Amino acid sequence: MAGEAQARESAKVLARAFQHDPVCTWIFPAESARARRLRRFFHAELHHSALRHGAVEFARADGAIAGVAVWFPPGAWPSATGLSSLPAYLRAVGRHFGTASQFASAAARAHPHDQPHWYLAFIGVDPARQGQGIGTALMRSRLERRANEAQPAYLENSNPANAALYERFGFQITGALDLPEAAPCVPTMWRPA
């Protein structure tokens, strides 16, 4: 399991990667507070949930974390984080709790529950390192290691700019999250076994 320092560094990388993500700008419209809120959210997610499953991928460049992919193995999502994590999530979303809850509820309703699968919750590359193949390497790493298991994978694509990457790895659009009219369109994607 990664240590606290790695969780904090990864949260910062993910916050920078998602700073202009359509869903994140919808949930946290004030750009001045978005970076802080995203750091808190990703730290809570890593510290209280994702890292305990041992399926978080890290890519390093020049000794620093340059990209992170947060996967949940079959049966691990939704992760039962317990009441102890609630304050961290509430600090992260603050007064945007209602919008964040709308997104989380829509994602939970759309999530396929009828077949075991890997779930890619987040993948992000530090903006200074984007375009260098780090996102591709992160995707390839987990998917190639799991190829012998013959299990599908699922994700929600919060940014249309990432569609080509996902499609290159065999993900296909299966629908979209049922979000309010003001929200961005978030396609759901499935990669067959």
Side-chain angles (χ1 to χ4, degrees):
M1 179 188 253
E4 181 63 21
Q6 194 170 29
R8 288 197 183 281
E9 185 180 359
S10 298
K12 290 177 183 176
V13 168
L14 287 169
R16 288 191 298 270
F18 281 82
Q19 177 67 21
H20 300 290
D21 178 87
V23 168
C24 294
T25 59
W26 172 62
I27 294 174
F28 305 117
E31 189 170 359
S32 59
R34 190 177 311 129
R36 175 176 41 88
R37 297 246 178 240
L38 289 173
R39 275 193 312 274
R40 287 178 179 172
F41 170 77
F42 285 117
H43 183 262
E45 184 66 25
L46 289 160
H47 179 76
H48 292 287
S49 181
L51 287 171
R52 68 180 61 180
H53 298 293
V56 177
E57 303 278 334
F58 304 98
R60 293 188 172 274
D62 300 324
I65 294 175
V68 182
V70 177
W71 291 90
F72 284 88
W77 189 92
S79 183
T81 56
L83 289 177
S84 64
S85 65
L86 189 58
Y89 284 105
L90 290 175
R91 267 193 311 278
V93 298
R95 64 186 177 95
H96 306 287
F97 178 79
T99 309
S101 293
Q102 285 179 316
F103 180 81
S105 294
R109 284 190 308 272
H111 199 100
H113 299 283
D114 58 342
Q115 184 176 4
H117 60 277
W118 282 85
Y119 172 51
L120 178 59
F122 309 103
I123 183 169
V125 176
D126 192 301
R129 297 290 185 172
Q130 290 176 0
Q132 299 176 8
I134 293 171
T136 298
L138 286 166
M139 290 289 290
R140 183 175 291 123
S141 173
R142 177 62 49 182
L143 293 173
E144 284 182 356
R145 280 190 285 156
R146 300 300 173 222
N148 293 337
E149 294 177 3
Q151 289 181 322
Y154 171 79
L155 61 84
E156 301 101 8
N157 182 9
S158 64
N159 190 337
N162 298 329
L165 171 67
Y166 302 140
E167 289 169 352
R168 212 169 45 240
F169 280 95
F171 283 89
Q172 302 161 354
I173 294 175
T174 57
L177 297 187
D178 183 20
L179 293 168
E181 194 172 306
C185 178
V186 179
T188 57
M189 301 185 80
W190 182 259
R191 180 182 190 261

